[in-house]
């Protein structure tokens, strides 16, 4: 018996979507991840273990076969339970943003139990190609990525939007990276100018144009985002948190938090605790 399938259709043109990296990680006792952002989209697939995903200060439970998709410049980090360490794979994808059912939300979490076999198969192929680095491995990895994206788009809750190429302003990227890595320290515009080797006034103008926020306000927002994670996941006092994230005083921390979040740090902590209690009912 012979079965033949003819493909009588037009293949859509390939867009400028590119796999930048793939990483596989397993939490150890010495692992500590802090909230961060990327210029690309990331897909985080949990293979085993349990923990939480902190996105913009909100904690989400993570378990095997959860797929978390985070768009560019969305603050996030992963937290693992010691008793059941997270093992996961992350794909960095350039040139695309994901659109979700909830508009204006820069991330989503999908339960992918029904896709586990396909996802693990494609992930293993990607890792094998990157390990072996034989001729044509980049093309194969790109093809696997596109298959994976098509399978995700078939789910009604996800669609794609092609984005412009990332910025080539290396000085702004260096300044942003320095702020992300050193936000707990006292940082001035003069320091950023010294790090990037350009005039501080030009840097401030270029950074504002690139990220739609000034360097100093980005630093403030970065500290507030970290403080939200600490308010949600620890019982540290406001004084401890203000010191940990780089504020000069608890009062300035509280004033800044209220101005940016519309509530005090204590009100935010109570709201998060109440939401967690409601979810556990």
């Amino acid at each position: 018996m012979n079965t033949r399938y003819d493909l009588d259709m037009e293949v859509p043109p390939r867009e400028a979507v590119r796999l930048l990296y793939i990483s596989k990680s397993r939490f150890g006792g010495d692992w500590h991840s802090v909230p961060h952002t990327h210029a690309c989209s990331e897909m985080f697939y949990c293979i085993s273990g349990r923990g939480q995903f902190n996105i913009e200060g909100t904690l989400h439970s993570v378990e095997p076969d959860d797929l978390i998709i985070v768009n560019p410049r969305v603050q996030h980090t992963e937290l693992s339970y010691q008793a059941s360490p997270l093992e996961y794979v992350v794909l960095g994808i350039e040139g695309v943003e994901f659109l979700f059912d909830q508009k204006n939300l820069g991330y989503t979490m999908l339960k992918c139990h029904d896709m586990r076999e396909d996802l693990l198969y494609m992930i293993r192929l990607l890792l094998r190609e990157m390990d072996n680095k034989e001729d044509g491995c980049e093309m194969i990895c790109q093809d696997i990525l596109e298959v994976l994206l098509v399978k995700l788009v078939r789910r009604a809750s996800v669609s794609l939007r092609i984005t412009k190429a990332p910025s080539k302003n290396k000085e702004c990227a260096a300044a942003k990276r320095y702020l992300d890595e050193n936000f707990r320290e006292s940082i001035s515009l003069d320091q950023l100018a010294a790090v990037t080797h350009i005039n501080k006034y030009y840097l401030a103008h270029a950074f504002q144009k690139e990220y739609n926020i000034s360097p100093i306000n980005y630093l403030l927002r970065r500290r507030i985002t970290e403080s939200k994670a600490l308010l949600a996941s620890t019982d540290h006092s406001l004084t401890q948190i203000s010191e940990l994230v780089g504020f000069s005083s608890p009062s300035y921390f509280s004033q800044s938090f209220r101005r940016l979040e519309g509530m005090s740090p204590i009100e935010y902590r109570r709201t998060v605790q109440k939401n967690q209690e409601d979810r556990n009912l």
Side-chain angles (χ1 to χ4, degrees):
M1 179 179 178
N2 180 48
T3 303
R4 169 173 166 160
Y5 299 96
D6 292 319
L7 299 179
D8 186 16
M9 63 183 74
E10 291 188 8
V11 178
R14 287 189 167 186
E15 302 286 358
V17 179
R18 189 164 69 94
L19 180 66
L20 293 181
Y21 54 83
I22 177 171
S23 65
K24 183 177 180 181
S25 303
R26 188 175 188 275
F27 269 80
D30 58 345
W31 179 273
H32 176 63
S33 179
V34 298
H36 57 279
T37 66
H38 299 281
C40 63
S41 295
E42 276 199 337
M43 288 172 44
F44 170 109
Y45 177 64
C46 179
I47 297 173
S48 64
R50 281 174 169 75
Q52 293 179 313
F53 212 81
N54 177 357
I55 309 178
E56 299 288 358
T58 301
L59 295 177
H60 305 268
S61 295
V62 177
E63 60 184 19
D65 299 322
D66 281 352
L67 181 69
I68 299 96
I69 303 175
V70 182
N71 276 331
R73 298 186 177 90
V74 174
Q75 290 272 5
H76 63 280
T77 191
E78 55 273 14
L79 309 165
S80 178
Y81 296 142
Q82 294 293 334
S84 183
L86 281 176
E87 182 179 2
Y88 61 92
V89 171
V90 180
L91 276 65
I93 307 169
E94 179 184 80
V96 65
E97 283 187 0
F98 292 83
L99 305 178
F100 315 117
D101 282 347
Q102 292 179 267
K103 298 186 184 301
N104 301 320
L105 194 65
Y107 65 92
T108 194
M109 298 184 66
L110 303 174
K111 299 292 183 181
C112 294
H113 301 291
D114 57 326
M115 294 179 63
R116 180 177 177 85
E117 185 177 346
D118 285 347
L119 287 172
L120 287 178
Y121 175 71
M122 287 184 280
I123 286 169
R124 286 167 182 152
L125 281 179
L126 285 169
L127 292 171
R128 188 185 310 151
E129 287 295 327
M130 296 306 294
D131 280 339
N132 295 337
K133 289 185 169 57
E134 297 180 356
D135 290 345
C137 71
E138 294 89 352
M139 183 180 297
I140 291 175
C141 288
Q142 181 69 23
D143 289 344
I144 295 170
L145 170 66
E146 293 181 8
V147 171
L148 176 57
L149 292 177
V150 170
K151 284 184 172 291
L152 287 176
V153 169
R154 285 177 176 175
R155 304 176 73 102
S157 58
V158 178
S159 58
L160 304 178
R161 175 173 63 198
I162 304 304
T163 61
K164 66 178 183 179
S167 167
K168 302 302 182 183
N169 192 319
K170 295 181 180 179
E171 290 82 7
C172 287
K176 180 176 177 295
R177 184 166 57 251
Y178 184 84
L179 291 171
D180 284 334
E181 294 174 353
N182 300 278
F183 66 89
R184 295 179 178 86
E185 309 298 327
S186 177
I187 302 175
S188 67
L189 195 57
D190 287 318
Q191 285 176 274
L192 283 180
V195 168
T196 56
H197 308 292
I198 59 175
N199 178 275
K200 66 179 181 180
Y201 301 110
Y202 172 77
L203 173 61
H205 174 76
F207 196 99
Q208 176 76 39
K209 182 178 179 181
E210 184 67 25
Y211 300 113
N212 201 30
I213 189 172
S214 70
I216 300 306
N217 283 335
Y218 178 84
L219 174 62
L220 180 62
R221 171 57 69 181
R222 182 71 178 81
R223 288 170 173 168
I224 293 296
T225 298
E226 175 72 5
S227 74
K228 289 168 67 177
L230 292 172
L231 286 165
S233 60
T234 75
D235 58 0
H236 293 338
S237 68
L238 297 191
T239 299
Q240 289 174 310
I241 291 176
S242 67
E243 291 176 356
L244 285 171
V245 301
F247 281 99
S248 57
S249 69
S251 60
Y252 179 50
F253 164 51
S254 295
Q255 292 169 8
S256 301
F257 195 100
R258 182 180 288 279
R259 178 164 57 85
L260 291 177
E261 299 298 325
M263 66 178 74
S264 71
I266 294 298
E267 290 171 331
Y268 175 82
R269 172 175 272 169
R270 288 172 180 164
T271 300
V272 171
Q273 290 173 344
K274 185 178 184 305
N275 290 339
Q276 291 174 343
E277 289 171 359
D278 291 343
R279 283 196 297 267
N280 292 332
L281 292 178

